């Protein structure tokens, strides 16, 4: 008699579970979990448990991502206020101090062997300020290779420049003509080494500032999306509950919805307010400061070139055969005019516009007096031209001082505008990361309580 054919036992849930039990631990656990979920999904209590778990995880994820993204934006806003903008301002001050020192050196040289005490003090103060700010910048610009390179260049070249100025002074006191050559060489080093390095340092630090602005202003898309999904899930669960039980409210789910709504509104409104304030600080604060700093530097360089025109007495020509320093003066005054015009447009109130308008008026008088001084010098009256440039009253030096003081007032006002707006932007995010995390946990707990009340009805 033939052996009966092998009959394979039908696959059932019990046999599948038995086969899974014979597999390695990891596969067995996954199979058991899958079977449990499949079985749970066929009953209303099981579905409720799955729904509650998913909603709770969504709410916790919403709170965690919100706390993470807003902490990142808040840190960037704090960097704008406390690190990158002050470093950018310090870099601008380094540039201004160096340019002013060059102007003071030329003014002191023109005054003769007995350099005026106030001019010497101004030069010494500028050099000391630049040195101090370089030390500060070196300590705070960690991670920026470009900034470190420019700081090294400035630290290397500044003592050399100072030495050339001292040589010019020593020869000028003894009446040696070579003093003028030393001063022109010092100005060349300032123009070709120190000021370009200071400009690159300023641009690098300002670039970092704008990077922090962009990071702080980036919208928290992930947190917003999770918040909408979590709220949508809560609304769906409550509608499902209503359709199955005719109960309008589930207190736990209602509390979870309220907490999630608060977090989402806090996120949207808080970040929108912060973004608006930071945008204001950038447009009406930082952008104005940048233009005003550029204008002040142009005025300083124009003044230095004006002085050097008298020091060189036409001995230095450009590639077009014209007086190098007079041509540079004309170029810097044109830049100053453009920058003052831009500063007037950026100023958003009368307090900011008034000093800039005054600087424009003083600049116009400066140009008129400079033209008169050049005519006097060209006619052979060097001493008369010197008085028109360095005199206390009615000189171009008086106009330069007035322009510098007006720009200083405008910069102080715009710095205050920046600090106020940027601090408000940072403040709009204060407390949001912690608040979002706490409310999200409470929302998850509320959802859990609401679902557990429904589960209790099946026991």
């Amino acid at each position: 008699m033939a052996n009966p054919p092998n009959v394979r036992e039908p696959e059932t849930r019990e046999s599948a579970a038995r086969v899974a039990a014979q597999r390695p631990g990891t596969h067995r656990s996954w199979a058991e979990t899958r079977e449990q979920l499949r079985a749970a999904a066929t009953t209303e209590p099981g579905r409720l448990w799955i729904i509650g778990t998913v909603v709770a995880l969504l709410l916790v994820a919403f709170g965690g991502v919100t706390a993470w993204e807003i902490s990142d934006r808040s840190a960037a806003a704090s960097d704008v206020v406390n690190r990158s903008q002050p470093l950018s301002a310090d870099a601008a001050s380094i540039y201004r101090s160096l340019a002013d020192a060059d102007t003071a050196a030329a003014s002191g040289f023109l005054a003769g062997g007995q350099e005026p005490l106030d001019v010497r003090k101004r030069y010494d103060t500028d050099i000391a300020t630049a040195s101090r700010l370089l030390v500060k910048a070196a300590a705070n610009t960690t991670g920026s290779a470009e900034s470190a390179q420019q700081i090294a260049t400035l630290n290397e070249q500044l003592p050399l420049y100072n030495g050339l100025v001292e040589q010019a002074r020593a020869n000028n006191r003894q009446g040696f003509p070579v003093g003028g050559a030393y001063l022109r060489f010092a100005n060349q080093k300032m123009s070709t080494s120190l000021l370009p390095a200071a400009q690159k340092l300023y641009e690098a630090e300002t670039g970092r500032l704008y990077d922090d602005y962009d990071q702080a202003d980036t919208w928290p898309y992930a947190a917003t999306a999770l918040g909408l999904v979590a709220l949508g899930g809560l609304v769906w669960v409550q509608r499902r509950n209503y359709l199955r039980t005719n109960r309008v409210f589930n207190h736990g789910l209602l509390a979870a919805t309220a907490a999630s709504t608060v977090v989402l509104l806090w996120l949207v409104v808080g970040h929108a307010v912060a973004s608006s304030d930071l945008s204001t600080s950038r447009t009406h604060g930082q952008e104005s400061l940048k233009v005003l700093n550029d204008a002040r530097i142009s005025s300083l360089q124009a003044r230095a070139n004006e002085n050097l025109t008298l020091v060189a007495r036409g001995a230095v020509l450009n590639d077009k055969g014209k007086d190098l320093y007079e041509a540079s003066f004309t170029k810097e005054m044109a830049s100053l005019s453009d920058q003052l015009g831009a500063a007037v447009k950026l100023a958003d109130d009368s307090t900011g516009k008034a000093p800039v308008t005054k600087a424009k008026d003083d600049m116009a008088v400066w140009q008129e007096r400079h033209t008169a001084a050049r005519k006097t010098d060209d006619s052979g009256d060097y001493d008369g031209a010197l008085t028109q440039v360095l005199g206390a009253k009615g000189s171009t030096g008086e106009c330069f001082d007035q322009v510098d003081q007006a720009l200083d007032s405008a910069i102080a006002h715009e710095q205050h505008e920046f600090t106020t707006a940027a601090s408000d932007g940072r403040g709009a995010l204060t407390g949001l990361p912690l608040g979002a995390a706490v409310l999200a946990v409470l929302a998850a707990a509320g959802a859990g309580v609401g679902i557990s009340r429904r589960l209790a009805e099946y026991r």
Side-chain angles (χ1 to χ4, degrees), residues 310-332:
L310 293 175
V311 173
R313 299 189 182 186
V316 183
L317 304 179
N318 61 14
D319 53 1
K320 296 181 179 179
K322 296 183 178 180
D323 188 296
L324 173 65
Y325 299 115
E326 178 63 20
S328 298
F329 171 84
T330 303
K331 178 182 176 182
E332 294 300 339

Side-chain angles (χ1 to χ4, degrees), residues 107 122 303 306-307 366 369 386-404:
S107 297
R122 180 172 180 171
R303 179 59 177 171
E306 183 178 45
N307 290 337
W366 181 3
R369 293 181 180 178
L386 195 61
T387 301
Q388 288 176 296
V389 171
L390 296 181
K393 293 291 183 181
S395 67
T396 60
E398 182 184 30
C399 293
F400 163 73
D401 289 337
Q402 290 171 344
V403 169
D404 194 60

Side-chain angles (χ1 to χ4, degrees), residues 145-161:
E146 176 66 18
S147 295
Q149 180 181 349
Q150 303 312 323
I151 290 171
T153 299
L154 289 166
N155 281 325
E156 178 185 344
Q157 296 297 321
L158 186 55
L160 299 178
Y161 169 81

Side-chain angles (χ1 to χ4, degrees), residues 111-453:
Q114 296 298 321
E115 185 177 7
L117 202 57
D118 59 331
V119 176
R120 178 59 186 260
K121 183 178 180 181
R122 180 172 180 171
Y123 173 86
D124 291 339
T125 300
D126 286 331
I127 295 298
T129 299
S131 300
R132 175 177 56 81
L133 291 177
L134 282 172
V135 172
K136 181 180 177 183
N140 290 286
T141 54
T142 54
S144 174
E146 176 66 18
S147 295
Q149 180 181 349
Q150 303 312 323
I151 290 171
T153 299
L154 289 166
N155 281 325
E156 178 185 344
Q157 296 297 321
L158 186 55
L160 299 178
Y161 169 81
N162 193 39
L164 290 170
V165 171
E166 291 302 328
Q167 288 281 358
R169 283 173 175 159
N171 282 279
N172 193 37
R173 281 194 296 268
Q174 299 177 64
F176 297 154
V178 73
Y182 275 113
L183 186 64
R184 292 194 298 272
F185 190 28
N187 173 261
Q188 182 182 6
K189 183 168 288 292
M190 177 65 74
S191 301
T192 59
S193 297
L194 286 163
L195 291 182
Q199 178 69 26
K200 290 177 182 178
L201 176 62
Y202 175 63
E203 290 172 353
E205 295 303 330
T206 302
R208 292 177 67 187
L209 169 60
Y210 288 146
D211 288 343
D212 287 337
Y213 264 123
D214 292 340
Q215 186 177 354
D217 194 47
T218 302
W219 189 265
Y221 291 106
T224 305
L226 275 172
L228 292 173
V229 171
L231 274 178
L234 285 167
V235 170
W236 177 80
V237 171
Q238 290 174 90
R239 184 175 182 275
R240 181 180 185 277
N241 185 48
Y242 169 73
L243 293 176
R244 290 176 178 270
T245 65
N246 285 327
R247 294 172 182 169
V248 178
F249 296 117
N250 179 298
H251 294 103
L253 293 174
L254 192 63
T257 304
S260 300
T261 302
V262 169
V263 174
L264 186 59
L265 288 176
W266 192 358
L267 168 67
V268 172
V269 174
H271 192 274
V273 171
S275 180
S276 176
D277 287 335
L278 287 171
S279 178
T280 299
S281 75
R282 181 171 182 167
T283 303
H284 299 297
Q286 175 57 29
E287 291 297 332
S288 292
L289 282 171
K290 186 177 185 303
V291 172
L292 288 169
N293 281 322
D294 289 343
R296 197 172 190 186
I297 289 165
S298 292
S299 72
L300 288 164
Q301 291 180 328
R303 179 59 177 171
N305 283 307
E306 183 178 45
N307 290 337
L308 286 166
T309 300
L310 293 175
V311 173
R313 299 189 182 186
V316 183
L317 304 179
N318 61 14
D319 53 1
K320 296 181 179 179
K322 296 183 178 180
D323 188 296
L324 173 65
Y325 299 115
E326 178 63 20
S328 298
F329 171 84
T330 303
K331 178 182 176 182
E332 294 300 339
M333 290 298 279
S335 297
L336 175 60
S337 179
D338 293 341
Q339 289 152 357
L340 290 176
V344 170
K345 293 179 181 179
L346 287 171
D348 60 335
D349 56 22
S350 58
T351 306
K353 287 182 179 179
V356 181
T357 302
K358 184 178 184 307
K360 288 186 67 177
D361 295 339
D362 292 332
M363 185 200 72
V365 177
W366 181 3
Q367 286 180 312
E368 292 175 1
R369 293 181 180 178
H370 175 80
T371 301
R374 292 311 311 144
K375 288 181 179 179
T376 302
D377 188 30
D378 291 339
S379 67
D381 186 3
Y382 177 80
D383 292 334
L386 195 61
T387 301
Q388 288 176 296
V389 171
L390 296 181
K393 293 291 183 181
S395 67
T396 60
E398 182 184 30
C399 293
F400 163 73
D401 289 337
Q402 290 171 344
V403 169
D404 194 60
Q405 289 168 9
L407 288 173
D408 187 57
S409 298
I411 288 172
H413 173 73
E414 296 301 335
Q415 183 66 51
H416 176 73
E417 291 281 296
F418 164 83
T419 303
T420 300
S423 297
D424 289 344
R426 178 185 58 179
L429 301 176
T430 302
L432 178 52
L434 179 60
V438 171
L439 287 173
V441 171
L442 292 176
V449 170
I451 295 295
S452 66
R453 294 289 298 275

Side-chain angles (χ1 to χ4, degrees), residues 91-101 126 129 296-297 300 404:
S93 294
I94 290 171
Y95 197 121
R96 188 202 65 79
S97 296
L98 292 173
D100 192 57
D126 286 331
T129 299
R296 197 172 190 186
I297 289 165
L300 288 164
D404 194 60

